Amino acid sequence: MAEVLWLTAKLAGITTILLLLLATPLSWWLARGRSSLRTVVTAVVALPIVLPPTVLGFYLLIALGPNSPLMALLAPFGVRTLAFTFEGLVIGSLIYSLPFAVQPLRNAFLAVGDEPLEAAATLGASPWAGFWRVALPLALPGYVAAAILTFAHTVGEFGVVMMLGGNIPGETTVLSTEIYRLVEGLEWGEAHRLSLMLLLFAFAVLLALLAIERRARVLDPRA
């Protein structure tokens, strides 16, 4: 069981860190950009919210399988397939949890508004300095919310993990797929224990997000 918990935490942790890095420029562009493509990109980013996880997992299985064009490009580097591997699960989790990182960051950058950045510009700050010294600190609650949501969503994912990674002990078995295995094996007691653990975890996540929202309203004079 310790191995399953560690693998779940490892997958969620890596996914959260990578997504915060990848989602920052994307969220900034969606919030501050002027391109007509923003609507299309926003819809693409939000697809995992409405798309059945098994559908996403199926196409990822094809894309990361040994016969895909992507694997043909990676073959010279000794990579035949990423399906049914931990690395494949990370890629799947990045795509599946992408909107849960992008949306809070985008909303946080929108809430910053133009005035603080314009004030920084009048004081001689470059756009880069304005982002790091003004926008980023003001958007900190969004980063906290994005990190919590991404981590929790990755911990609870099942369909993508099962389709893309199967349920290989020590490699791709995480809490959600372990519960499925326990139910299949009629091990109701252990399945109940793990399910209750995830239920309490989800409740704690919601409480944390509500606390962040309440604190942000108190600190923001515009609220």
Side-chain angles (χ1 to χ4, degrees), residues 130-198:
F131 172 78
W132 282 101
R133 298 179 181 178
V134 178
L136 204 61
L138 290 176
L140 185 59
Y143 275 89
V144 176
I148 294 174
L149 275 174
T150 301
F151 190 92
H153 189 252
T154 305
V155 167
E157 67 179 290
F158 173 76
V160 171
V161 171
M162 183 60 76
M163 291 291 293
L164 182 59
N167 198 10
I168 305 172
E171 183 69 26
T172 61
T173 298
V174 294
L175 278 173
S176 57
T177 56
E178 178 66 6
I179 292 173
Y180 179 79
R181 184 193 68 80
L182 291 171
V183 172
E184 271 197 323
L186 302 180
E187 299 180 49
W188 300 103
E190 188 66 17
H192 171 68
R193 188 170 71 87
L194 289 183
S195 297
L196 182 60
M197 182 189 305
L198 286 181

Side-chain angles (χ1 to χ4, degrees), residues 7 21 63 75 96 116 118 139 145 155 160 186:
L7 199 62
L21 295 174
Y96 186 50
E118 290 173 354
V155 167
V160 171
L186 302 180

Side-chain angles (χ1 to χ4, degrees), residues 71-95:
M71 290 301 104
L73 294 175
L74 296 178
F77 302 97
V79 180
R80 291 188 61 256
T81 179
L82 290 174
F84 305 108
T85 66
F86 180 80
E87 292 76 14
L89 285 190
V90 171
I91 295 174
S93 297
L94 289 175
I95 296 174

